[in-house]
């Protein structure tokens, strides 16, 4: 089924489920109440108006609600706008979930989580396996659906687990190339490195980060993540050196102090976690930016990479999502 | 009683208790064994030789031992050297302690600790008082006798508690000037801000830091200190906001990221702790450096301040220790 | 008496004295002349319109004038606007001064000046007292009413003297804690450190800085301040070392070169002046920013501090002004 | 066969082939001529003396010569020294080559080269294959035996090809993880990225870099390498976009400008080349440095990484050479 | 003849030749097609509207076209706007060229080129003369008419050759002052230093740079320029050291790495080229910025210089163009 | 006449006038007093010993004294050393001055001063001429004989005036190229820009700077120089804008804040003074460093330029001194 916004090209009238991103009650110049909304589905987002709004007749709505709307798409000031004719809340009988309305990864989060849990189960160091398992369990649902950043890389539903999963593949490959690396440590570092973000930010029901959490900002996700490791290890009674090593990999994963770690990576496994974190984020942002330009062209300056990019003539489709094989 | 090194000016023969800083067994060009030592007391340090050394006759010695020596002070290559004639270990009946042999603060550490504990007891926030009390108790003896740095500011026996005590006086004064400051928070931040150093470094029996602790280096004393706060709060069952605020004050006390904190001070009390930490260290180093030059002269470039200093003509004696009043 | 802007919440009709911040004659779409003004009082500022303006009937006005206005407050484009019905200049018989219309310190500037002059009078070094007295006298009225900055800290009427007065209290407290400090020098440094700003900026009749002075920019207030010290000392025939020390404290008070001083503080008193200048400004900006958010929230990034702030749950009212005790 | 230096532990008398690193004729205090040499083999290096040296009797020698020596190893000033009793040049009939005397990779350079040439042959872009083949051929013998740096990473015989080969393995693994990468480009970039070093430095017969080449310094190996690509492409008549892309990957491989590239990587393949170049060098230096300390200890500050490293307790042997499998 | 825009002050009706900078077909609120243009001549630029546009009647137009227009200048939203009454393309018989419509240098580009070619002809090093001649010839027309930058210094028609010509005069003068400079090298460096810009940017028919060229961005004009030197020298069979020196002067002319050169100037001639390039650009921007303010005033912060400027009271007319003498 | 040190190559015995750089009385291992001196002439410097020293017989000596010595030059520890046989102070009848013993400029300082005074006399702005004349007169003898730096550029006798003179020639040439420059201002800026150094450093009788002056360090030569301008202008009663402009040129001549000016050049003349100051110093250091290497070679890293230099094959003699023409 094409999304409501994909219908836009097909005609003026449209119907479908959408997600409310913002919703304000206002008064028109004719003194009549109306709803001013921003709606979104996988096709993007569109401003919408519900004129002559009456709570009794149309119902009450807020950000994060899924609604079914019918309306007409106009051009206003050079931009598309949806004039809503009918609106109702999603019913429990409607066969639609957040996954269908929010752009995210094509590989299901549950499959990625299964792969992650299998990796943990394979650790030789059973204390480390126990510790990492507990940390992932505490992260809970948020690890499955939340994004990895407020802006910039992997700011999509499921972005955090997808970033983690993608890094695991790269990390595993590098462990084959450099046999002196302790695979358990590298994998553990990758899996927990960004779990602190779940406390550092507030997430909408869509899984998208909407703002920094005030308390989370007081430690940041690096130090906050390390504190959680320490507390969890204590709960589990684990006093292995691996606890300290895992704390260090989290603290140091932003690399040298200029980039936000006050402690740089001090052993090879920490260096690998830091390097592939940066590389995975850079490649994500690069491919996203290049999807917007033609071959042979440069992008505008990409925030977060602080440079322009060049899309060469190679026959590559820049995909932001993992393909099932 | 003048120290052995102070006798140096009075004649060649000297007797007294000294501390062994290093001790190596060597073979002379005449194939005879001898001990090559570095000895110190409050007057400074002096290289020493014990010729024709026999463990059976003279005993075995190592760094940190207190010994009684008798010998002659010679000039050798333009520097004083002690030729040891008699040596023996300190006996339990000898009325001498580390405090008499190592330069430190004139105000007894116990008195400073009493003052600190009284301050904690006066906190309105009883959870905070409980938490800080527990952290100070865990720090134990080290808080009383250890130095505050490997090199640079307050690298003397008792330097850590003296630095803390001196900051408390400044912090208290500023709380009077800026009444919006929460005095409990400021004082708590000052008292615990450097406790992480006790794990970050190894200390000699003299209380002087001798090297960084490898494990301590993996988190540093800022993050290590914050983790200890989190673990202690959990033990005590304290879930107050003050736990997070205290963690933040420790993490951020090196100020802006360029100076080593990855998180800058985010509320006024954290800013005050950071500012007076820096000021107290700077004034300590300034007065120490200026003690070496005449009025109207500049010092050489001071490591840690990265500048030269000027000693003006004011009639001030630069004292490095707190005077009892 | 509540200010005109405070009446805003009480009804549409308002009357009171206000300050003209800007004033432009314009022509309406109906070809009728009108005055477009920005008016302010202690409650804030409000755009205002005087329709069908006739100089003969209403009088001529310009920025800095105090006027009495009567009008109606409307909402226009979501913001309040004052439609003026009557306007007249302040008469000499009106019992209103700039102090009542411009937000400033609650402690009268004259009281703060008295305290400053008493401090100078108490200097042991009489040459220094003479020099500082002369510098303050030359600063004149501007020292009493002008702000301390164009934007950022203490940009309110009387901000400069209030910043100076607040620093004096902190400086005095630190002189008690660190007895090796020469109190005369520290106090002199505090009092004159920002006098150069009076030549570096242009001030409105309100005392608020409106722009940098072109000539003042050629030296800046640090070097410009030092030159004024040198010239004044020469006039007074003072050749004491204190002249050079005072020049140095002014030149170096922005601290290390990265922050704008080409010469860093080279003796303890200069360091103290620089440190408390920075701390006083930071605390001022912190408390001002936190006044805008709820407990448990973070502010947006604060210009000048380059970070977000967290307002903790402590029961503090952030006051920007000194309370009489 | 154990090397001469490995015999050192077995007794005072030693015989074997060694490489002359430096060689000076001097006059002893007894007015007798002698040779003062520095000799090396895979076991390290040792100063040596040939007393009563006579060119007629002993022959003439210079740096880079391979010689057979017989002598006695003494302790002098706390360090081993070889007193030469007999010396002669390597004869063509002696079964010894530079590879046996200089520490290098255990995987033969020829095998690595074969693997590199096979990779090039597999390129889909035949113009790129032709260009890279020609560049490798021009590099010649130097690519097989020279080191990758003057100091720091891969400064061993064959270090350049080993660094290249190791990066190829990592690059290939990342191409599997990120399918949007053009494998030909990544591999080409890896293979040529450091070829400019062969002109930027002077190499001893051992393959070790001894100093920067003056002319090479005028462009550096990044720009010098790019110019060679341009010239070679012109010779071969290749005008494909791949020429420019290859030039860019070489120019940008030091990453962001702060680290020495004036142009940052502008497409994903360039980013991958830059990232794995840095990672491969960092891991090489990390493992080399950690080979010098015990488990649970930190190294001293590592030049080039600008930090201390921690060797954790994991049971890993840090090997600097590739193992045949 | 005054330009159309200079007629603006003389009355509402205007006629003249103008250059089309942008041209869009739009539909008015009355559903009628119109052209929305930006037109320019030496007097500046003006938005223009051609209502009721009909391609058949008015013709088709695009950016870069020269047209003759007749129209009326209105005020709209506080800005001038041209309502076009008649428009036609420039005919071959019209006596108008780009030079008359675009602000540029008053000294004809051809005269500057003649002077440059004479300088080259005077080189003692004939290989260098041959190389530089060939590079200038390849640059062709673009060297005569294009600007030197996208924004900032010398962004006017003919800006590149004017910047080069102006630097030549300064360079020649410095060669007189410092006789150890090789005049041939300095002059060659000046002449070719920015030729790479012709490939780094796209230029409009006006000679003004409109955007960076994607391929040119992959090397930048420094390295791109050096590659062109290498290729040209190879074509000409020149293997002189001067080729490498010229490459170096181009690579290093942005000075120290912080300012964009990865290789700093390594001989005096390269330093001189770099210094006068920077000075010529700075003086151009300074005089341009100061032309906008009165004597005794400061400019706003100048982009590219990152500071405000002060216009002193000296009786100077800031001219941006070279005067014929 | 060849200097004593130039005789060194001609034989062991030498006689001539030399300058004492340092002079210490010591006791030999045979308990006999001797003088340990460092002597210098234009040929360089040499350590010297006067054995069996007797003040009565040989006289008393100190640094800065000119002496006539006769002695033998030995090799000791691989370095030349002078064994003094006879020594006496320079007599008033000896026809030798400091100029003959200290390396300096070949152009006499008096001639350079004459040229400078003529330039000042030619100023159109007579107030400026008066002010600059007075500043040069106050500088006195020091301006003629002192060096321009402690280390680095122009650290030779007469270096300050030579640096000034050389800059004047370059400045004059640039005023011809850029006619909008006010020649009076540029020349005045050049002449006074470094006069503050005469107070910032202590100079030996040789004119060489030996250390920073403590008081001079409190303001530095930039601000110290500006203060002297302000005081002198006041003495002369000059209130012209040129006073402020001259102060600014001195304050800003180290360029952007990163290089030591807290105020950057704000008008073209200040930029020119700053640029040619830097260029003149760089060229001086470059030519000095390249005099030490062969053509086709690189120097070692040059302190102050922070890079290596390349000496190209051009037939240039690097001269450090101005030639008379």
């Amino acid at each position: 089924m094409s999304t409501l916004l994909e219908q836009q090209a097909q005609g003026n009238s449209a119907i479908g489920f959408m997600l409310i991103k913002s919703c304000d009650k206002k008064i028109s110049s004719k003194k009549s109440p109306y709803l001013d909304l921003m709606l979104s589905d996988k096709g993007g987002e569109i401003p919408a108006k519900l004129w002559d709004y009456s709570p009794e007749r149309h119902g009450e709505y807020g950000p994060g609600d899924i609604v079914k709307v019918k309306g007409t798409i106009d051009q206003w000031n050079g931009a598309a706008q949806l004039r809503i004719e009918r609106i109702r809340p999603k019913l429990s009988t409607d066969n639609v979930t957040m996954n269908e309305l929010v752009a995210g990864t094509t590989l299901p989060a549950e499959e990625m989580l299964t792969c992650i849990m299998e990796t943990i189960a394979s650790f030789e160091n059973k204390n480390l396996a126990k510790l990492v398992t507990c940390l992932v369990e505490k992260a809970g649902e948020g690890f499955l659906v939340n994004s990895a950043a407020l802006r910039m890389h992997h700011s999509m539903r499921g972005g955090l687990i997808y970033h983690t999963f993608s890094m695991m593949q790269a990390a595993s490959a590098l462990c084959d190339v450099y046999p002196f690396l302790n695979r358990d440590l590298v994998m553990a570092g990758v899996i927990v490195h960004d779990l602190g973000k779940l406390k550092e930010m507030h997430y909408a029901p869509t899984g998208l980060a909407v703002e920094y959490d005030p308390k989370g900002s007081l430690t940041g996700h690096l130090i906050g993540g390390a504190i959680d490791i320490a507390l969890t290890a204590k709960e589990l009674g684990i006093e292995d050196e691996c606890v300290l090593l895992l704390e260090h990999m989290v603290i140091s994963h932003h690399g040298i102090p200029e980039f936000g770690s006050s402690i740089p990576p001090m052993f090879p496994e920490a260096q690998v976690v830091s390097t592939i974190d940066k590389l995975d984020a850079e490649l994500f942002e690069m491919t996203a930016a290049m999807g917007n330009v033609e071959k042979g062209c440069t992008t505008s300056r990409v925030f977060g990479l602080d440079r322009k990019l060049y899309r060469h003539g190679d026959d590559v489709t820049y995909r932001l999502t993992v393909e099932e094989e």
Side-chain angles (χ1 to χ4, degrees), chain A residues 4 34 47 64 67 74 81 113 137 171 200 239 246 252 254 258:
Chain A
L4 185 144
Y34 69 97
V67 291
D74 297 322
Q81 191 183 65
L113 184 61
E137 285 169 0
E200 193 190 27
E239 296 187 348
L246 195 59
S252 69
H254 278 188
E258 286 87 326

Side-chain angles (χ1 to χ4, degrees), chain A residues 1-19 39-41 46 67-73 82-88 94 96 101:
Chain A
M1 185 194 85
S2 65
T3 73
L4 185 144
L5 285 181
E6 287 164 358
Q7 300 168 38
Q8 183 179 352
Q10 298 158 16
N12 273 341
S13 184
I15 185 164
F17 288 96
M18 299 202 80
L19 176 70
L39 301 178
S40 69
D41 61 21
I46 189 169
V67 291
K68 187 166 191 182
V69 294
K70 181 170 177 300
T72 313
I73 296 174
L82 177 70
R83 187 154 44 79
I84 296 174
E85 287 148 15
R86 283 171 47 191
I87 186 169
R88 70 162 173 81
D94 288 327
V96 65
L101 290 174

Side-chain angles (χ1 to χ4, degrees), chain A residues 147-162:
Chain A
S147 63
L150 193 53
R151 277 184 307 271
M152 308 208 292
H153 81 95
H154 297 94
S155 54
M156 61 181 177
R157 181 174 173 85
L160 179 56
I161 195 167
Y162 172 48

